[in-house]
């Protein structure tokens, strides 16, 4: 499989007044087309930082992030915006739905700016929420909200889905459903998925697992993915 | 972006109450701007048009008598463009048992004069018969006198029956202040009549002569020089009065009014829009802070920074547009109301609420500009927020509370609520300033609203109640010997009789000369006593001159200076007179001296030009009719009551509007800022509720903060209000009266009380919000 996105010796540090806090140290990682990649690490290990670099949310302090020929580390704000708009779908731990928009409208937020979007209803049908389109986030359960978020991420037809602890705020049964949905997205829709988790068990659903410790990738292993239904969360 | 508009709509709707209050402030700002600016234009255009079409004379010279042939000589004076003879005589109108003093002016028998032409409202020009008169519109309207009505007048001692042929307005009498009517015109008692020139020549014993010339000059910048030349030439004919148009009472008062209107039309909107922008700034800042994660999410989803910023800018613009729209309607209403009000006082033929699209468009633009200004802070922070950064919780704001907390002994003694309030004050200095600023401005407007009315009423009271104590003033056609007035004392019911002598005089000091009306007072005057600003009566010494501050400043004379006094009537004996006192009086450009002294200057022994009576007699008016030397009567208390009613009505309207605006301003800003403060601390509110505090106790914390800040604002607003009152009253300063800047204590109390009331009203809303706040949710919210 050929790499969709390549992280080459990427570092990221934050200035906290006088001191530099390194969040990511010289990380190199390929995201292969069509794979389900899990990034595993404890809180504070730099997972979100890494995901932000992959998603064009942030630029590394050193190193490269290659998307095809394009180096995101040197891309303009505008280029990054377009990259996020057309290539990336984000799913967040706290769902991040706009509270004053209905489920359907939350999806439409993406539909309106995407190049080749799905219909909002289509995207909601993919996550099994076609009936709940007119509900506001506060009227939906956590799991349902996360499904809407996934529908939103898919609606723009991105090439890459980036999920930052998508089950971090959900109970085990709901988590299983969400993970299963993501697995579906990967297997049936053929989307590349990168998922962050701190749970060893959840990590079992990926094709590959990159382990992050203290900002460094300490291990990268390939594994036989387990179906989300079989996870013991 | 359709969906984002939907989001915007819902978010605005959720905050509709407080935003409506904010919209109201903007609307008031814009309404005042367009409404007052349009009123100004209406008035200014009507004035300009009237003066132009009816050719307001540039100058006006009154003298005793000059042959018409002499005018040719005057016309040859360089820069004199037009010059026309006129005859003006005092006259008495007997109307429904009352004697009204007035003026009659001559007009060419068969055509309009070159200057000060009339704008006929009813009837026609003279048709040739004897005894025809055109009367001024306001007088006719007030007394329902129409073409065909008959009017009994006394002219040069002769009784005449005149027939009204027309009613007209003159640019000379747009605003008619008459002696005895105070600040406000009393058109029904102020007749101005017009009669054909030949007829007045005959009646006034002025065959082949005239006693006034009106005219225009070619170069206005040389007007004063030309007038001086004219005056020199006319000197042998006894010049009584030489006035340029800008010194005319009517012109001055109207100009003052427009000046005041101009100030109001910038200050008021300025205040409201500034407060609206500042409050919007805080509200938008809060909104953006609250929606930090939404902003980050939108950026993550591929929205550009500008797209997101535009979304927040449109929130501000929506509020601005709503304000602009409401403001337009308010402005149109305000314009109508103000123009109608002005039409009551100013006799301009075409005062009409016109439409000025460019003003309205300008108002909308200004309003939107302030909305952008107010949104800018929020929009900028939305623009600056890095997408990755926005996903993390906002760094806690550490403020200056730290230094206070350093005073351990003090800090530990404070209640937790006090600590919270202090922390929040220290951490949001800008918001605190805005809160205080908002209520300072509202207080200032409130003070202005109340005190402006007080100033005007004070002046009215001052003239009618404090300086005057007579029941009746008898105006005499010309100064009369005191001895001949003794008979008045014998009339049944008359208790006190007091003479007063008003003589137009030129006062000169050094190179400066000023024409004033010098008032001679009897040493034991009781019925009329001018007062200085502290309320002490002014009693001129036998040889001394008392100058009003205004006259003194024009002459640059001080106590101890010798001022030359030159009377313009009688024997005109010049005399150097010692300035013994300068009083800051409210009634214009006056000067006072002893009656006997002034009498001697005009070659009389002791004479009076008006007589004040204290009397319980019933039918004095009728008894005065047979006395031809009586020019008119003024009944002090009747005039006073009438003026008072007029003032109450007109001031009631305008000041009512003003105080409503002030109320909206205070309520709107207090409410919005209190709600922002509440929303910022909804988590703390939630915590307190969990800990078992009831809504009142929690709201108490916010109430304390609000009262503290707004209290500071109120205190700061009081002097600001005084400044505002001063600047407005100063613009109404004329040679005829000056409004005092009064900020009486009870008005301060009233303003403070009302402010506290509106602040409390806003607090009630806050209390309700605390009660309704879903505090469990608030605890869950991750900000
Ligand atoms: N904006 C920031 N400023 C300062 N430090 C940051 C910032 N973002 C992340 N960090 C620090 O970088 C490290 C990695 O953070 P993050 O990538 O969010 O970890 P994870 O997602 O694995 O919990 C942490 O120590 C965190 O405190
Ligand atoms: Mg993280």
């Amino acid at each position: 499989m050929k790499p969709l996105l390549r992280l080459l010796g990427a570092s990221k540090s934050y200035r906290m007044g006088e001191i530099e806090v390194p969040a990511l140290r010289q990380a190199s990682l390929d995201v292969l087309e069509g794979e389900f990649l899990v990034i595993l690490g404890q809180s504070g290990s730099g997972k979100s930082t890494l995901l932000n670099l992959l998603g064009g949310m942030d630029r590394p302090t050193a190193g490269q992030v290659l998307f095809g020929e394009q180096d995101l580390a040197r891309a303009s704000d505008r280029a990054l915006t377009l990259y996020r708009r057309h290539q990336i779908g984000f799913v967040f731990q706290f769902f991040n739905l706009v509270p004053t928009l209905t489920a359907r409208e939350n999806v439409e937020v993406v539909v309106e700016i995407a190049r080749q979007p799905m219909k909002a209803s289509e995207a909601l049908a993919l996550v099994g929420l076609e009936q709940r389109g007119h509900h506001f986030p506060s009227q939906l359960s956590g799991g349902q909200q996360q499904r809407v978020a996934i529908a939103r991420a898919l609606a723009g037809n991105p090439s890459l889905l980036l999920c930052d602890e998508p089950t971090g705020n959900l109970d085990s049964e709901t988590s299983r459903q969400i993970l299963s949905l993501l697995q579906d997205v990967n297997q049936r829709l053929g989307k590349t998925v990168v998922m962050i988790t701190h749970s060893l068990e959840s990590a079992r659903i990926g094709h590959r697992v990159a382990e992050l410790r203290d900002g460094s990738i300490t291990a990268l292993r390939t594994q036989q993915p387990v179906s989300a239904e079989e996870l013991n969360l | 972006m359709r969906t984002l508009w939907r989001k915007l709509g819902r978010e605005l709707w959720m905050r509709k109450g407080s935003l409506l209050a904010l919209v109201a402030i903007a609307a008031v700002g814009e309404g005042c701007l367009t409404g007052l600016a349009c009123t100004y234009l209406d008035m200014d255009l009507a004035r300009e048009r009237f003066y132009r079409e009816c050719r307001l004379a540039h100058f006006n010279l009154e003298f005793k008598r000059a042959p018409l042939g002499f005018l040719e000589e005057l016309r040859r004076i360089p820069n004199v463009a037009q010059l026309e003879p006129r005859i003006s005589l005092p006259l008495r109108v007997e109307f429904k048992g009352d004697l009204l003093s007035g003026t009659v002016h001559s007009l060419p028998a068969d055509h309009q004069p070159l200057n000060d032409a009339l704008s006929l409202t009813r009837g026609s020009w003279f048709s040739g018969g004897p005894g025809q008169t055109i009367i001024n519109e306001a007088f006719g309207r007030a007394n329902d006198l129409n073409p065909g009505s008959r009017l009994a007048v006394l002219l040069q001692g002769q009784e005449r029956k005149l027939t009204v042929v027309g009613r007209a307005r003159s640019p000379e009498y747009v605003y008619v202040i008459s002696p005895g009517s105070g600040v406000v015109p009393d058109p029904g008692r102020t007749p101005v009549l017009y009669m054909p020139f030949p007829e007045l020549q005959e009646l006034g014993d002025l065959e082949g002569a005239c006693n006034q010339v009106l005219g225009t000059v070619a170069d206005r910048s040389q007007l004063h020089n030309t007038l001086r030349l004219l005056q020199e030439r006319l000197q042998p004919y006894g010049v009584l009065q030489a006035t340029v148009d800008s010194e005319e009472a009517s012109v001055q008062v109207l100009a003052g009014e427009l000046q005041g209107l101009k100030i109001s039309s910038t200050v008021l909107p300025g205040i409201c829009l500034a407060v609206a922008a500042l409050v919007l700034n805080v509200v938008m800042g809060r909104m953006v802070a609250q929606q930090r994660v939404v902003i980050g999410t939108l950026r993550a989803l591929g929205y550009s920074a500008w797209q997101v910023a535009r979304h927040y800018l449109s929130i501000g613009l929506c509020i601005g547009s709503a304000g602009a729209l409401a403001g337009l309607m308010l402005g149109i209403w305000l314009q109508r109301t103000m123009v109608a009000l002005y039409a009551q006082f100013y006799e301009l033929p075409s005062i009409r609420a016109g439409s000025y699209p460019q003003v309205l468009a300008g108002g909308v633009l200004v309003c939107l500009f302030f909305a952008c200004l107010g949104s800018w802070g929020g929009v900028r922070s939305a623009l600056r927020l890095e997408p990755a950064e926005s996903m993390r919780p906002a760094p806690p704001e550490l403020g200056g509370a730290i230094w206070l907390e350093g005073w351990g002994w003090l800090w530990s003694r404070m209640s937790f609520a006090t600590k919270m309030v202090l922390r929040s004050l220290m951490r949001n200095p800008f918001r605190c300033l805005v809160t205080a600023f908002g209520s300072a401005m509202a207080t200032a407007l409130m003070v202005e609203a109340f005190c402006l009315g007080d100033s005007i009423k004070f002046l009215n009271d001052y003239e009618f109640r404090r300086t005057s104590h007579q029941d009746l003033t008898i105006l005499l056609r010309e100064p009369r010997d005191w001895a001949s007035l003794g008979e008045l004392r014998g009339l049944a019911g008359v208790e006190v009789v007091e003479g007063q002598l008003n003589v137009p005089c030129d006062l000169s000091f050094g190179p400066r000369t000023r024409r004033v009306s010098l008032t001679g007072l009897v040493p034991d005057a009781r019925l009329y006593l001018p007062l200085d600003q502290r309320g002490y009566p002014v009693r001129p010494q036998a040889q001394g001159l008392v100058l009003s501050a205004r006259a003194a400043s024009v002459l640059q004379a001080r106590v101890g200076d010798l001022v030359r006094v030159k009377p313009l009537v009688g024997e005109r004996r010049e005399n150097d007179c010692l300035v013994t006192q300068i009083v800051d009086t409210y009634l214009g450009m006056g000067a006072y001296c002893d009656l006997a002294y002034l009498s001697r200057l005009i070659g009389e022994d002791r004479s009076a030009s008006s007589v004040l009576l204290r009397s319980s007699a019933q039918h004095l008016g009728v008894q005065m009719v047979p006395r031809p030397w009586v020019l008119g009567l003024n009944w002090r208390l009747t005039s006073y009551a009438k003026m008072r009613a007029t003032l109450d009505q007109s001031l009631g309207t305008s000041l009512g509007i003003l105080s409503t605006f002030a109320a909206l301003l205070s309520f709107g800003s207090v409410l919005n800022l209190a709600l922002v403060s509440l929303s910022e601390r909804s988590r703390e509110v939630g915590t307190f509720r969990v800990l078992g505090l009831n809504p009142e106790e929690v709201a108490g914390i916010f109430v304390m903060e609000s009262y503290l800040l707004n209290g500071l604002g109120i205190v700061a607003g009081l002097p600001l209000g005084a400044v505002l009152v001063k600047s407005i009253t100063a613009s109404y300063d004329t040679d005829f009266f000056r409004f005092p800047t009064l900020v009486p204590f009870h008005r301060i109390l009233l303003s403070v009380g009302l402010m506290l009331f509106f602040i409390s009203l806003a607090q009630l809303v806050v209390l309700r919000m605390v009660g309704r706040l879903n505090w469990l949710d608030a605890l869950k919210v991750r900000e």
Side-chain angles (χ1 to χ4, degrees), chain A residues 14 16 23 42-49, chain B residues 389 392:
Chain A
Y14 296 101
M16 297 278 283
Q42 285 173 348
S43 179
S45 56
K47 305 183 298 290
S48 296
T49 306
Chain B
E389 190 56 40
R392 304 171 53 84

Side-chain angles (χ1 to χ4, degrees), chain A residues 4-216:
Chain A
L4 179 67
L5 194 58
R6 310 192 65 187
L7 211 60
L8 296 177
S11 302
K12 178 79 190 175
S13 50
Y14 296 101
R15 281 207 81 82
M16 297 278 283
E18 295 291 282
I19 34 166
E20 292 258 312
V21 182
L24 201 62
R25 306 164 203 257
Q26 302 242 327
S28 295
L29 180 69
D30 286 357
V31 179
L32 304 176
E33 214 170 304
E35 75 166 332
F36 196 122
L37 173 65
V38 173
I39 295 166
L40 180 68
Q42 285 173 348
S43 179
S45 56
K47 305 183 298 290
S48 296
T49 306
L50 187 133
L51 198 78
N52 282 342
L53 296 185
L54 294 180
M57 291 274 276
D58 213 346
R59 296 186 189 87
T61 4
Q64 290 180 304
V65 185
L66 291 178
F67 178 73
E69 298 290 287
Q70 190 184 16
D71 183 2
L72 300 182
R74 271 155 206 86
S76 66
D77 279 350
R78 192 181 135 72
L80 286 183
T81 298
L82 291 177
Y83 168 74
R84 292 195 298 268
R85 183 184 300 182
H86 298 308
Q87 311 297 346
I88 304 296
F90 273 104
V91 177
F92 306 95
Q93 179 181 357
F94 295 98
F95 329 134
N96 291 12
L97 298 179
V98 179
T100 46
L101 292 178
T102 61
R104 192 196 167 87
E105 289 161 351
N106 262 288
V107 177
E108 277 168 349
V109 165
V110 164
V111 171
E112 278 175 18
I113 55 167
R115 204 156 33 197
Q116 287 169 317
M118 297 181 200
K119 281 197 182 121
S121 51
E122 213 178 311
L124 283 173
L126 277 178
V127 299
L129 281 178
E130 59 271 53
Q131 305 300 326
R132 310 297 298 268
H134 56 280
H135 284 95
F136 284 97
S138 57
Q139 297 166 312
L140 298 171
S141 71
Q144 287 167 330
Q145 287 188 50
Q146 195 58 300
R147 279 159 190 269
V148 175
I150 292 169
R152 180 175 68 181
L154 290 174
N157 256 325
S159 35
L160 180 59
L161 208 59
L162 299 178
C163 315
D164 193 344
E165 309 211 31
T167 59
N169 215 27
L170 298 172
D171 62 59
S172 52
E173 184 46 40
T174 320
S175 296
R176 214 186 324 270
Q177 289 167 8
I178 292 296
L179 292 178
S180 168
L181 180 61
L182 289 175
Q183 217 167 25
D184 251 25
V185 166
N186 175 246
Q187 281 164 11
R188 289 216 240 121
L189 300 179
K191 299 278 176 206
T192 312
V193 177
V194 177
M195 182 182 83
I196 283 177
T197 183
H198 61 261
S199 132
L200 274 169
E201 189 62 20
S202 304
R204 290 175 64 201
I205 65 167
H207 297 112
R208 291 197 301 156
V209 179
E211 267 184 59
L212 210 54
R213 189 164 300 161
D214 239 356
S216 306

Side-chain angles (χ1 to χ4, degrees), chain B residues 326 509 709 763:
Chain B
F509 180 63
L709 289 175
Q763 300 310 318

Side-chain angles (χ1 to χ4, degrees), chain B residues 500-522:
Chain B
Q500 208 180 70
L501 181 60
N502 283 292
V503 175
C505 290
D506 276 337
L507 301 185
S508 356
F509 180 63
R512 292 163 294 276
T513 300
R514 176 74 204 196
R515 190 151 301 170
V516 303
S517 170
L518 187 54
T519 304
L521 301 170
V522 292

